[in-house]
Amino acid sequence: MKIIGTYPKTRLRRNRKSDWSRRLVSENALSSNDLIWPIFIREGRNIKEPVKTMPGVYRYTLDKIEKLTEKAIKKRIPMIALFPSTPASKKNKNGTEALNKNNLVCKALKLIKKNFNEIGLMCDVALDPYTTHGHDGILKKNYVDNDATIKILVKQSLLQAEMGCDVIAPSDMMDGRIGEIRKALDKNGFKNTQILSYAVKYASSFYGPFRDAVGSLNLLKSDKKNYQMDISNSKEALREVAMDLSEGADFIMVKPGMPYLDIIRLIKENFKIPVFAYQVSGEYSMIKNAIINKTLNQDSVYESLMSFKRAGASAVVTYFADEISTKLK
Ligand code: PBG
């Protein structure tokens, strides 16, 4: 870029002098329309249980879910993401609870869809909330077997679609699952069910608090590096996205968020498609704890979310969705 203008004729601070002027030249905006609110659900009745590693985030029983949905709609949050905390007694090696018509996610979907149509519902497709080893798929000789896992993910996707899920969101990082899921959805009358592919999900250390929230933290004995992406790679992200798009993904997720802003930008520039960012649990807890300790102030939340808009994200999955949308009037 050629630099136009030199000091003292040009003073960039002139446009920053007053609030009204800053508003005129601001390049990006954040509104409730940009937010996706992840909600953890659990079994039982009338419980709002704090997640220890995520101050201000709770696991809710299903009797609380309608109120939360109403709140999200009132705040103009376009979509909720449902995450189940499955009791240990319902977990097993192959995560079969994922295919139970009466599991937590299915019950929540039915409950919400019965009463509300004006909000999107998104569900993770992966087995980690349901397996005793905490991995996203089927283990064969201690290796997550790609093709065996896809077979189950396809069934999980169909079940969620039947229960009313609007956006199927595979977060498992198996190869080829988007194409298989798309094919199954189309064949079974769900042509308009959208797929949000976690195409670019890194083997990150920022997921710890989430694993605590869904109860897989202590079960997981190793890392997820043989299916999630290497944190040092960016060109590989373009291949992941290209493949998932050709298999039928409607939008793409980059995850985690703030440490991977360069990836969001890279994808946006190369594909011109809707890219979402996931400000993951570890990012949330880092900022939240800093605010609680008074190391940072509240404005850091807005600033962290604006970074995603600047990088090119259409929307952000964030545990701050509820509190920040109150301020985004
Ligand atoms: C697993 C899944 C994870 C998250 C969403 N889905 C964790 C993992 O891959 O271990 C993390 C979200 C967060 O940290 O907020 N399928």
Side-chain angles (χ1 to χ4, degrees), residues 38-82:
I39 295 179
F40 295 111
I41 50 181
R42 54 156 291 159
E43 293 194 344
R45 279 186 57 82
N46 196 26
I47 302 170
K48 178 184 173 187
E49 176 192 26
V51 176
K52 264 200 209 77
T53 51
M54 301 178 77
V57 172
Y58 303 87
R59 300 180 193 92
Y60 296 93
T61 48
L62 293 184
D63 46 290
K64 310 253 181 213
I65 206 79
E66 287 164 88
K67 275 249 168 61
L68 292 168
T69 309
E70 262 167 33
K71 191 158 125 181
I73 292 170
K74 210 177 272 156
K75 293 180 165 204
R76 302 281 299 157
I77 294 173
M79 186 154 73
I80 286 175
L82 294 169

Side-chain angles (χ1 to χ4, degrees), residues 261-275:
L261 291 174
D262 57 320
I263 307 298
I264 297 171
R265 164 58 58 88
L266 188 68
I267 294 169
K268 192 74 197 181
E269 283 183 348
N270 278 280
F271 294 100
K272 323 285 179 201
I273 51 158
V275 181

Side-chain angles (χ1 to χ4, degrees), residues 190-227:
F190 299 106
K191 262 191 214 124
N192 283 327
T193 300
Q194 289 149 284
I195 299 179
L196 166 56
S197 171
Y198 287 78
V200 187
K201 179 172 180 181
Y202 286 91
S204 166
S205 51
F206 285 89
Y207 306 144
F210 173 95
R211 292 177 188 169
D212 174 25
V214 301
S216 70
L217 187 65
N218 298 324
L219 302 175
L220 197 64
K221 295 286 177 306
S222 57
D223 54 47
K224 299 189 177 181
K225 286 182 182 168
N226 68 39
Y227 47 109

Side-chain angles (χ1 to χ4, degrees), residues 124 126 128 136 171 201 206-207 210-211 224 228 255 278 280-281 319:
D124 238 44
D128 57 304
D136 292 27
S171 70
K201 179 172 180 181
F206 285 89
Y207 306 144
F210 173 95
R211 292 177 188 169
K224 299 189 177 181
Q228 299 179 346
K255 175 183 179 185
Y278 200 136
V280 300
S281 56
Y319 302 96

